[in-house]
Amino acid sequence: MSTGTGMPGTPEGTTVLGASDVARALTRIAHEIVERAKGAQDVVLLGIPTRGVTLAVRLAERLAAIDPAFDPARDVGELDVTMYRDDLRRQPTRAVGVTRLPEAGIEGKTVVLVDDVLYSGRTIRAALDAIGDLGRPRAVRLAALVDRGHRELPIRPDFVGKNLPTATSESVRVRLAEVDGEDAVVISGRAADAPGAAERGEATR
């Protein structure tokens, strides 16, 4: 996987993963999911909106290519966690999204939550609460394209595309072609956004 060194910056920040990096990360995660589950016959994916849903669809295609027992039409869903967030009282006007369980259900399954960026862990805590109200899976795993650190809860990913150390003042954005017109992971708000910083390797520390 590319480290980001030498990749050009954008007006909004520094690109640390490009389209080929994202593709390789998802392929590797798919293989790790199958290896850990000893096959994909009892695996279902739940994407966390917005971009986690898109990533779950892409992972599903890769899982099906590795193990035909996995059916993207049956084993993929999306999980809205709005009503389970611990900041709901502070922002009560949040729009409630859609929860769509896989056709196969989650009872007795290995549920893999899929998200784009793992940060404080509070979104995943909300997702675990939501799953508890929907059924009793055999196990729950977490796949994140980017882990940027700064956890506030004892949560960590089982499968991660890129560990990206950051400062709390920095912003990490995952851009996906289906939503944003391109695949990229962009970090902004750090000194590395200055011209020439990527070439000096500052964007990867």
Side-chain angles (χ1 to χ4, degrees):
M1 179 179 294
S2 170
T3 63
T5 302
M7 297 185 70
T10 70
E12 296 80 20
T14 299
T15 299
V16 292
L17 292 182
S20 60
D21 301 309
V22 171
R24 283 194 294 270
L26 291 176
T27 298
R28 176 168 50 78
I29 288 173
H31 280 279
E32 290 174 354
I33 289 172
V34 172
E35 181 179 356
R36 180 157 180 177
K38 295 180 173 58
Q41 63 273 12
D42 291 320
V43 172
V44 296
L45 304 180
L46 283 180
I48 298 176
T50 299
R51 288 163 183 78
V53 176
T54 302
L55 291 172
V57 171
R58 292 195 193 180
L59 276 175
E61 295 170 352
R62 288 164 166 80
L63 288 174
I66 299 168
D67 187 345
F70 187 91
D71 183 352
R74 180 194 64 205
D75 299 327
V76 183
E78 56 186 287
L79 182 67
D80 178 69
V81 302
T82 303
M83 299 306 296
Y84 294 87
R85 294 184 62 93
D86 59 10
D87 61 354
L88 187 61
R89 284 178 290 182
R90 299 180 185 176
Q91 302 182 52
T93 57
R94 286 181 182 271
V96 177
V98 174
T99 289
R100 179 179 58 84
L101 291 182
E103 181 183 316
I106 65 173
E107 291 288 333
K109 301 289 186 178
T110 295
V111 173
V112 179
L113 292 170
V114 183
D115 206 1
D116 55 351
V117 179
L118 179 60
Y119 186 27
S120 69
R122 293 183 180 273
T123 295
I124 303 306
R125 181 208 60 79
L128 293 172
D129 287 348
I131 287 175
D133 283 348
L134 294 171
R136 192 175 190 277
R138 183 174 66 82
V140 180
R141 311 294 184 205
L142 172 60
L145 181 61
V146 175
D147 182 356
R148 62 166 297 184
H150 303 290
R151 213 76 75 243
E152 297 172 1
L153 298 170
I155 289 171
R156 69 177 184 179
D158 300 275
F159 316 104
V160 61
K162 174 73 172 178
N163 288 293
L164 185 62
T166 63
T168 55
S169 60
E170 294 165 348
S171 174
V172 175
R173 289 173 295 129
V174 170
R175 297 177 59 82
L176 298 176
E178 296 89 335
V179 182
D180 310 292
E182 65 172 348
D183 284 354
V185 175
V186 179
I187 186 168
S188 57
R190 59 165 48 176
D193 295 340
E199 286 76 4
R200 294 193 301 270
E202 296 172 17
T204 63
R205 290 204 295 266

